[in-house]
Amino acid sequence: RYDGGMHCRADIKRYTIELTMKLPKVDIRGKYDVGGNVLLFPVRSKGDFWAIFVNVDVYVKIYGKETIKNDVKYMRIERLNVDFKLAKSRFRVRDVVNHGNIIGEAMNQFLNTNADEIIAEMKPAASASIARHFKSFLNNAFLRLPIQVWLPES
């Protein structure tokens, strides 16, 4: 669900598009599976994962390049940069392996106590992953839609 505002600025001659979006709430749900050692003890945990991010500011810059296919001009996205800031976050895991949920509760406390550091650590990988996904998605669209269709004066 998207309730935020979006602003767009484009430089048609250079094929660059800048987008800014404000997302009031991002709710992520999934599964997790963790294995490793704490001191000398093996630790295994898996289960359900929730993350809620509040007031997320997203910045996207798209760098396109003209390409010609069968004498028709298209735009190919060469590079897509994504950055984001968020005001507040909350994490929750539910461990389904360990009865009594001691490891899960310890993980919940650790995640929420160290949320800012965890987000700072994961931000470069998350930004790159989001950019890769949307670059591929947008190229599938732009490489099927001639420039003349969406920029009739070009």
Side-chain angles (χ1 to χ4, degrees):
R1 190 171 141 222
Y2 176 71
D3 295 338
M6 183 167 93
H7 302 281
C8 179
R9 190 170 70 193
D11 182 337
I12 303 302
K13 292 179 183 170
R14 292 185 180 163
Y15 295 113
T16 59
I17 303 168
E18 293 179 52
L19 299 169
T20 60
M21 293 177 274
K22 184 170 251 342
L23 306 173
K25 183 178 176 185
V26 177
D27 188 0
I28 299 171
R29 296 166 191 252
K31 302 284 184 189
Y32 78 94
D33 191 344
V34 175
N37 292 319
V38 175
L39 300 175
L40 299 175
F41 300 102
V43 174
R44 176 101 172 113
S45 176
K46 72 178 190 176
D48 300 311
F49 172 82
W50 297 270
I52 296 173
F53 305 119
V54 178
N55 292 332
V56 181
D57 292 317
V58 182
Y59 308 95
V60 179
K61 186 153 187 187
I62 298 168
Y63 299 88
K65 185 175 184 179
E66 187 178 289
T67 186
I68 298 175
K69 184 171 64 173
N70 298 327
D71 295 325
V72 177
K73 291 181 187 178
Y74 295 87
M75 184 179 91
R76 172 185 298 280
I77 297 172
E78 294 286 301
R79 197 173 69 200
L80 191 145
N81 295 341
V82 175
D83 193 12
F84 60 89
K85 286 192 270 187
L86 48 99
K88 187 176 166 188
S89 62
R90 182 85 178 129
F91 298 97
R92 180 93 180 121
V93 297
R94 185 178 56 158
D95 186 332
V96 296
V97 172
N98 303 289
H99 300 291
N101 215 14
I102 295 169
I103 291 177
E105 287 308 315
M107 286 174 47
N108 284 323
Q109 184 174 2
F110 175 81
L111 288 169
N112 289 297
T113 301
N114 299 291
D116 291 342
E117 292 84 2
I118 292 167
I119 290 166
E121 253 331 285
M122 68 165 220
K123 187 176 178 180
S127 292
S129 178
I130 293 166
R132 251 190 328 274
H133 173 75
F134 280 100
K135 179 183 175 189
S136 174
F137 172 78
L138 290 172
N139 266 333
N140 280 335
F142 280 122
L143 291 172
R144 289 188 173 114
L145 190 64
I147 291 173
Q148 188 65 36
V149 171
W150 59 278
L151 287 176
E153 281 116 38
S154 64

